Amino acid sequence: MLDLDPAAREVTRLLAQITDDQLTRPTPCTDTPVAALLDHLMGLTLAFTWGARKTGGDRPQGVSGPPPPPSAERLEPDWRTVLPRRLTELAAAWRQPAAWQGMTTVGGVTMPAETMGLVALDELVLHGWDLARATGQSFTCDQASTEAVLAFTTETARPEQAAGRDGLFGPVVEVPPDAPALDRALGFAGRDPNWTPPTT
C-alpha cells in the first residue's frame, strides 16, 4: 500500500494559489492549458476513487471506457471547492487495504489494483508538478512518493514498454543520472525538469 495523502495535499495546496488569469497559461503537457489540466484532475480523481472502491460510483448508466480529452471549456465553475474534496476522497479511498486487492478498472483499463494505485499516485505527482511549473509555484514531493513514481516511470521508459507508453507519456527526456530522484522521474515521464512557461 502507498499513501496518496501527501501528494493529494500538495496538489490541494497548489490549487489555492491559482488565479483566474493563470487558467489559460500553458503547462508542460502539450496543448493543455492550466484549465484543461484542472479538468483532467477533476475527472481522474473521481475515476481513481471509483477504482479504489471497485464501483462505477454515480457514473451515468451505460457510460464506460476512457474519459474524453481534457477541455478548458468543460472545467466546472466550482472546481475550487469540488477538486480539493475529491482529492481528499481519493486519498481516503486508497487508504483502505481492500483497495489494493484483486483487479480494478479505471477509464476502461483493467489491471491489478496495486498497480492502479501506483498509477493514481503517479498522476497526482506528475500533474502536481505540471501545475506548479505552469503557475510559478514550488513543488514538494515526499520521499516515498518520489521513489514509487521513479520506479514506475523507469519501468515505463524501457524500450519494450513503448507500446503501453504511447498516449501516457511523451518521449523520454535525458536527465543526468546523478540528478535528484524527482527530476529523473520527470525525465522518464517525458518532462523536462527545467521546463518554464514560454515568455510572451
Side-chain angles (χ1 to χ4, degrees):
M1 289 177 57
L2 297 167
D3 186 2
L4 274 62
D5 188 61
R9 283 190 283 106
E10 178 66 0
V11 175
T12 299
R13 181 188 69 79
L14 295 168
L15 297 176
Q17 304 300 320
I18 297 176
T19 59
D20 287 345
D21 66 315
Q22 292 176 329
L23 295 177
T24 57
R25 284 190 181 184
T27 71
C29 304
T30 305
D31 299 325
T32 306
V34 170
L37 184 55
L38 292 170
D39 177 61
H40 179 54
L41 284 165
M42 289 282 283
L44 77 84
T45 47
L46 271 185
F48 281 98
T49 297
W50 294 339
R53 296 171 178 168
K54 300 179 177 63
T55 173
D58 53 2
R59 191 185 324 204
Q61 184 68 30
V63 174
S64 61
S71 168
E73 291 73 25
R74 196 170 51 243
L75 178 62
E76 296 180 25
D78 55 354
W79 64 269
R80 293 182 184 280
T81 56
V82 174
L83 186 49
R85 183 173 69 247
R86 289 185 182 177
L87 286 162
T88 298
E89 292 172 351
L90 172 67
W94 285 99
R95 202 173 293 126
Q96 303 304 313
W100 299 85
Q101 299 169 4
M103 303 291 289
T104 192
T105 301
V106 172
V109 177
T110 300
M111 62 176 64
E114 60 183 357
T115 303
M116 194 67 83
L118 177 55
V119 174
L121 177 63
D122 178 76
E123 291 274 338
L124 291 179
V125 170
L126 294 182
H127 290 319
W129 182 85
D130 293 333
L131 278 179
R133 280 306 171 107
T135 58
Q137 301 187 63
S138 62
F139 179 75
T140 302
C141 187
D142 64 286
Q143 183 177 350
S145 296
T146 300
E147 292 175 353
V149 171
L150 175 58
F152 178 70
T153 58
T154 299
E155 180 63 26
T156 62
R158 297 184 188 280
E160 60 269 24
Q161 300 293 334
R165 179 186 179 87
D166 188 38
L168 182 63
F169 300 130
V172 172
V173 175
E174 293 297 327
V175 175
D178 60 348
L182 181 60
D183 285 3
R184 286 182 280 134
L186 292 167
F188 286 131
R191 288 161 168 80
D192 179 357
N194 298 313
W195 185 93
T196 55
T199 56
T200 55

